[in-house]
Amino acid sequence: MLVLNQRLSALCALLALAVSTDAQSSALSSSDAASSVLSSASPSFSSALSSISAVTTVASSVSASTIPSTASSAVSSQSSASPSISIPSSASPSESLTSALSSTLSSASASATSPISSSAAASITSASASTFATDTGPPLESTHYTIPISSYPFSSFPVPSASPIPGVFPSTSPQSPPPPGSSLIPDFGPAWARAHSRARKHISGWSLEQKVAVATGVGWMGGRCVGNIPPVADFPGLCLEDSPLGVRFTDFVSAFPAGVTTAATWKRSLLRARGQAMGAEFKGKGVHVALGPMMNLGRIAQGGRNWEGFGADPYLAGEAAYETILGMQQAGVQACAKHYINNEQEHFRTQESSNVDDRTEHELYLHPFLRSVQAGVASVMCSYNLVNGTYACENDRTLNQLLKGENGFQGYVMSDWQAHHSTLAAVGGLDMSMPGDITFNSGTTWFGANLTAFVQNGTIAESRVDDMAERILAGWYLLEQDKGYPDVSFNAFEMNDPATNEHVNVQDDHYKVIREIGAAGTVLLKNVNNALPLKMPRSIALIGNDAGPGSRGPNGYSDRGGDDGTLAMGWGSGTAQFPYLVTPLEAVQARARADSSGAQVSWFLNNWDLAGAAAAAVDQDVALVFVNADSGEGYITVDGNEGDRKNLTLWENADALIEAVAGANRNTVVVAHSVGPAIVEGWIENPNVTAVLWASLPGQESGNSLVDVLYGHVSPSGRLPYTIAKRPEDYGTALVTGGTGDEILRIDYTEGLNVDYRHFDANNIVPRFEFGFGLSYTTFSYSSLRVRAIPQADPTSAALEAAWAAGTPSPAVEGGSAALWLHRPAVEVSFAVENTGPVAGTEIAQLYVHFPARAGEPPSVLRAFADVHVPAGARAALTLALSRYDLSVWDAARQGWRRPAGEIAFSVGTSSRDFRLKGTVPL
């Protein structure tokens, strides 16, 4: 084997890396390369390029002491004029990172942090920063932090523990979670302990290379799933597969409603049922890890992947993630919470730094992931972007300190596909590289042989690799996937290959819950003079391309990357194959045939022939106009929309189409299938537009779900999971565009806590339709409010609760943010809901907390909700609970959850602006 001297070996490795990365669309900066291509080694250690398990080593091990400081600086920064950060030798590594960040990023999350000393967080330092000139053009990030070459020890995270409490905190397993909406807090600690014990025993006899292998994917298209961990000894490996709404790239599976549609139901039972049905399909296909749910917030209304998630509020998104994960894992598949964290737009997603202050990070963006940890989630996927100047997949602050430390996460962190930037990402908290190669089909990897070499030369402690392998196998054991788990029965890359596709049908009767969610997630925004439900009309016209089938069929566009026919899901990796798609046209015709009056149905599916559309609407009892707005992942562009939406208008001439039809028919009903909010000001007040249904993305039963609402079989109960504004600028946040080459966009979250309805409330902006809004075919009244503190007899938390009541922040300890005493019910709010209308219906009661003004919170924050079905004329009792966590704010200076001084009030009502009952918290 050719052996090169150390310096030449390093240059060869850098050259190989440059060749392998030139081909990718978003180039890695040279500072990324430097921090990962070079490793610390003894003077006698050198290596040449080699391959292992068909993955070529691109990094050579070099003694840092043999490279002059000037050369090292030239390699590790993009500009010779780049500022460097001096770190006092007396400072601990994590303190150094915190100091560096807080001194250069005024909004950085580390500006008021103290490291968790018992974790691996103490292993990171800041690297030299890259500078980009920004006299004109988009805002560009001037600092990029990488992990420098050093020797990193590792000690395992202490495992948070608490004694089970019957009736409050029962010990259980993912196979037996509490029912939806239960006040019980499941204690998965014992199940995790058993899983880790078995995993530790399993890997005890493995070689270093074997342990590294379970952390390294086999490479893009190297197996039958989108991600694959190879078999090691008697461990069979793992199949990882998209998506958050169904099993991607295979047949005989269901196409479920999107996350945003399911969130619009505000029904925990349906969130759980969807998760369980999806989990069963993933397991039935032999998938070990389902890559979902997605829980990024809709910070940007135009965000391309917002529809995959659960809306713009952290509490709603957190509860939706929690129920979804409980359902998925109850079915036996490992869930994966993604995309961690601050991945809020598609444009330049691999080269943008989301700069977020510590309080905002905790109270908004981290919360859904905390709830995922509390649901026992097996894995978390780190995102493409940088967070406060450091890539999310090697970010010590977010991975080690927050996720594994504060939140007590006991599973493993995988990278998003090609979001892995260095071998030293293992020190930053990354446990698994996906899909394994640096760029698709490059034959190179940051882990694999490079990780092995970094351990052998003393850069990374082998105990850290033990921890990685143990975490990965613990997830496998937690879900009992060692016991008769189905084999993979499909080929994601060759769906029609008879040798690797068994065409196993896993759909069962899941169409039922899909149809139910589609109806329950439909939001009635307008209904003048009870235009809906339809009352056996004699003539119906369906107008608009969205009413009918696409010209290519439901799967005619790869990854659904086209807007043609009715819209039932967005585009990108968050999709699945439709087994069929019931269009509104098909479903309305079937329903009309059932009417004794014998309704006549006609249609006109051209959005651009306005005269023809108007003619089709003339003299019809009702004209149903179907419109949509689409978006998706940035690797597909549709009509100039590069993932993110270019604007907030409805697509395909929709506004003009609605106006033309409304001009010809005085009973025009608009149905919108949309990925998110849209501006409707051009026609919403037109008196001939008598009703509007916001149907989101309903999945395969789209038309049937809609007919259930149109004809009154289901009284609409959907509520908006975001705000619909009157003007795009009313949201207060917008896409950051621009950027070329290896520039890094700077996205400053200057709005802080005021996202979506919080921003509207804080700035007295009147929306068109507020967050939580939705009409019904009936009416409800609220009464009989009662509030009480919930007594508890657990002496172990009495001192903590008393300190919290006095305004002392919660302790900054491992698992502190997930502590039982913080999350157990502390206040009970009960009231009555009466159906005062003519038909049975479901009400969604929402509770918003109002913190004292000096607490610095938005005027109202959602903290509880519940659905209740009430017959006409009847009353029902509802009880909502608040925890101390719900009543806390994050104290960035003292790193804990604190009760703000002053009176905490709350309101109960039907939306974020329609409050029916008001009270104060007795704590």
Side-chain angles (χ1 to χ4, degrees), residues 250-382:
T250 186
D251 52 16
F252 296 98
V253 296
S254 301
F256 288 85
V260 72
T261 310
T262 317
T265 70
W266 292 61
K267 291 186 176 181
R268 288 181 171 86
S269 59
L270 291 180
L271 288 158
R272 179 78 65 88
R274 173 179 176 267
Q276 193 163 2
M278 286 197 304
E281 295 201 9
F282 277 100
K283 180 178 179 178
K285 285 288 187 178
V287 176
H288 298 92
V289 186
L291 301 176
M294 195 280 254
M295 57 201 69
N296 296 116
L297 299 183
R299 174 182 179 266
I300 304 297
Q302 296 162 249
R305 301 185 75 176
N306 289 356
W307 58 272
E308 294 183 42
F310 300 116
D313 178 79
Y315 182 84
L316 177 61
E319 296 309 289
Y322 177 83
E323 295 292 353
T324 301
I325 290 165
L326 288 179
M328 292 175 69
Q329 297 199 158
Q330 184 176 7
V333 72
Q334 297 181 48
C336 176
K338 66 180 188 182
H339 307 89
Y340 187 75
I341 190 172
N342 308 129
N343 188 178
E344 296 290 331
Q345 70 173 53
E346 283 298 284
H347 180 74
F348 248 53
R349 66 181 182 181
T350 64
Q351 292 172 236
E352 65 90 351
S353 180
S354 296
N355 298 333
V356 191
D357 69 89
D358 194 43
R359 180 172 176 178
T360 297
E361 192 76 286
H362 277 81
E363 294 190 22
L364 268 64
Y365 303 98
L366 184 61
H367 175 77
F369 292 95
L370 170 62
R371 290 296 281 153
S372 299
V373 171
Q374 291 178 306
V377 73
S379 62
V380 169
M381 181 190 294
C382 53

Side-chain angles (χ1 to χ4, degrees), residues 44 131 248 303 314 322 401 535 551 623 644 650 666 786 800:
S44 62
T131 297
R248 185 185 180 207
Y322 177 83
Q401 294 184 35
K535 302 167 185 70
S551 59
D644 303 310
L650 293 164
R666 297 177 64 183
R786 291 182 298 161
L800 291 167

Side-chain angles (χ1 to χ4, degrees), residues 193-285:
R194 290 190 296 271
H196 272 274
S197 176
R198 297 183 69 189
R200 195 176 307 116
K201 181 178 180 181
H202 198 139
I203 68 171
S204 62
W206 283 7
S207 66
L208 172 61
E209 289 78 7
Q210 288 175 313
K211 289 178 287 191
V212 166
V214 298
T216 310
V218 301
W220 183 244
M221 300 181 70
R224 290 165 66 177
C225 305
V226 295
N228 304 270
I229 292 297
V232 176
D234 58 347
F235 173 66
L238 297 174
C239 164
L240 298 83
E241 188 68 26
D242 295 310
S243 78
L245 59 64
V247 190
R248 185 185 180 207
F249 287 154
T250 186
D251 52 16
F252 296 98
V253 296
S254 301
F256 288 85
V260 72
T261 310
T262 317
T265 70
W266 292 61
K267 291 186 176 181
R268 288 181 171 86
S269 59
L270 291 180
L271 288 158
R272 179 78 65 88
R274 173 179 176 267
Q276 193 163 2
M278 286 197 304
E281 295 201 9
F282 277 100
K283 180 178 179 178
K285 285 288 187 178

